[in-house]
Amino acid sequence: MPRILDTSELIPIIAELVKKACYELDDNIMDSLRASLEKEESPYGRDTIRLLIDNGEYAKAEGIACCHDTGTCVVVMEIGQELSWRGAPLRDAVNQGVRKGYEEAYLRKSMVADPLDRVNTGDNTPAVFHSEIVAGDRVSITVMPKGGGSENMGAFSTLVPAAGAEGVKDFVLKTVEYAGGKTCPPMIVGVGIGGTMDYCSWIAKKALLRPIGERNPKPFYAAMEEELLEKINRLGIGPLGMGGRVTALDVHIEYYPCHITSLPVAVNFQCHSNRHARAVL
Ligand code: SF4
């Protein structure tokens, strides 16, 4: 007998996750910002990091958004294959939860219905919804408000396979350099390598959900993460682009098998306002 959930149960949970994510930067990002103070050599950079820490603490204490840009609402669900649903379609329930959260908390509504006519939908829907089927009968729901500044600077390219690891690193570094301060650093750099054009971009985003400080389990990619982090932090962009050492708090690489003729690579940035909240049902 499969476990059955009514999709309406998701609505209040997603609404609360929206509020929590927008109000509270978790310990992982706050601790990482505090630790970065030790590494920053520039006085402007250190002052900027202190302001970001104060801002995060104040937003949590007062129950207000830690950034005015409360983003596109990315919702990621890992759904156990032994779970069944009843009620309204899952996507509708996700959007109802997002609408409820943004309206109740008076969070900024940033979505336009058509990218070319630019009319605001008024309730921050639709969410960008990703789902994956996993083992078991539970569902994990992650809400990730994604600000425009960092999202706008992401990039994708299909390299020739001969470009290899050096080509990938070169693409990542050029993308970071081009982005400069527009991603609101210090940031997390998500890198997807492999798959297809769509899947590569998805794993670059998924990489941003990994806790700061956690390395890819494969030693080759773990070493590449560390090398890129060091090189990015030598570019001199610094906190909010004010100059300094701390441009990235971490680099996370995810990879996937790909076609013999392809070497896809995607970069997705997450600003210091690294917001996500998760619940498991
Ligand atoms: S990039 Fe991040 S910190 Fe900067 S304005 Fe957008 S959401 Fe806010």
Side-chain angles (χ1 to χ4, degrees):
M1 178 79 175
R3 183 170 173 240
I4 299 172
L5 278 180
D6 196 297
T7 55
S8 64
E9 290 179 51
L10 294 173
I11 298 168
I13 291 167
I14 291 175
E16 286 311 306
L17 291 175
V18 163
K19 295 176 207 172
K20 187 172 163 58
C22 288
Y23 295 168
E24 296 178 25
L25 297 178
D26 69 12
D27 289 345
N28 181 246
I29 176 74
M30 290 299 286
D31 289 347
S32 180
L33 285 170
R34 289 184 192 106
S36 74
L37 270 176
E38 305 291 316
K39 296 174 198 154
E40 185 51 74
E41 293 165 8
S42 140
Y44 284 134
R46 276 203 302 277
D47 284 351
T48 306
I49 295 169
R50 279 193 205 98
L51 284 172
L52 299 180
I53 294 168
D54 288 351
N55 178 70
E57 288 170 348
Y58 188 76
K60 184 176 178 180
E62 296 295 319
I64 54 173
C66 57
C67 181
H68 67 104
D69 182 355
T70 48
T72 297
C73 193
V74 178
V75 177
V76 181
M77 285 173 65
E78 291 180 338
I79 304 169
Q81 63 184 4
E82 289 157 43
L83 182 63
S84 283
W85 298 96
R86 68 168 175 237
L90 196 50
R91 188 175 289 278
D92 292 356
V94 167
N95 282 325
Q96 281 189 61
V98 168
R99 180 178 300 119
K100 183 174 163 63
Y102 277 80
E103 285 183 343
E104 285 179 358
Y106 301 103
L107 299 167
R108 197 182 89 182
K109 322 297 188 293
S110 306
M111 295 300 285
V112 294
D114 180 317
L116 296 183
D117 74 14
R118 315 301 295 177
V119 178
N120 196 301
T121 63
D123 58 11
N124 220 49
T125 67
V128 170
F129 177 40
H130 297 276
S131 62
E132 289 193 335
I133 304 300
V134 297
D137 64 357
R138 314 276 287 173
V139 55
S140 133
I141 309 138
T142 303
V143 168
M144 179 191 198
K146 194 72 180 55
S150 54
E151 188 67 15
N152 288 348
M153 303 316 292
F156 171 85
S157 183
T158 307
L159 308 181
V160 293
E166 291 309 312
V168 168
K169 286 185 267 184
D170 189 52
F171 177 73
V172 174
L173 289 170
K174 283 190 175 133
T175 304
V176 172
E177 200 163 16
Y178 177 72
K182 291 182 185 150
T183 59
C184 292
M187 62 189 167
I188 298 114
V189 182
V191 180
I193 306 173
T196 49
M197 186 180 176
D198 54 329
Y199 201 77
C200 187
S201 298
W202 159 235
I203 59 177
K205 177 159 269 93
K206 204 167 146 186
L208 300 173
L209 291 173
R210 195 198 307 162
I212 297 165
E214 195 176 301
R215 295 264 76 86
N216 188 297
K218 192 165 176 175
F220 175 82
Y221 288 108
M224 195 190 277
E225 288 173 349
E226 281 174 10
E227 181 186 342
L228 280 170
L229 181 61
E230 200 194 318
K231 287 184 171 162
I232 288 169
N233 284 336
R234 271 196 249 132
L235 292 173
I237 298 166
L240 294 185
M242 306 286 278
R245 286 274 174 203
V246 183
T247 300
L249 298 171
D250 214 343
V251 178
H252 294 160
I253 299 172
E254 296 293 329
Y255 69 97
Y256 195 79
C258 66
H259 192 273
I260 48 171
T261 63
S262 309
L263 177 50
V265 54
V267 178
N268 195 209
F269 296 110
Q270 179 61 293
C271 56
H272 67 270
S273 208
N274 178 22
R275 295 160 292 184
H276 43 82
R278 181 168 176 262
V280 178
L281 280 182

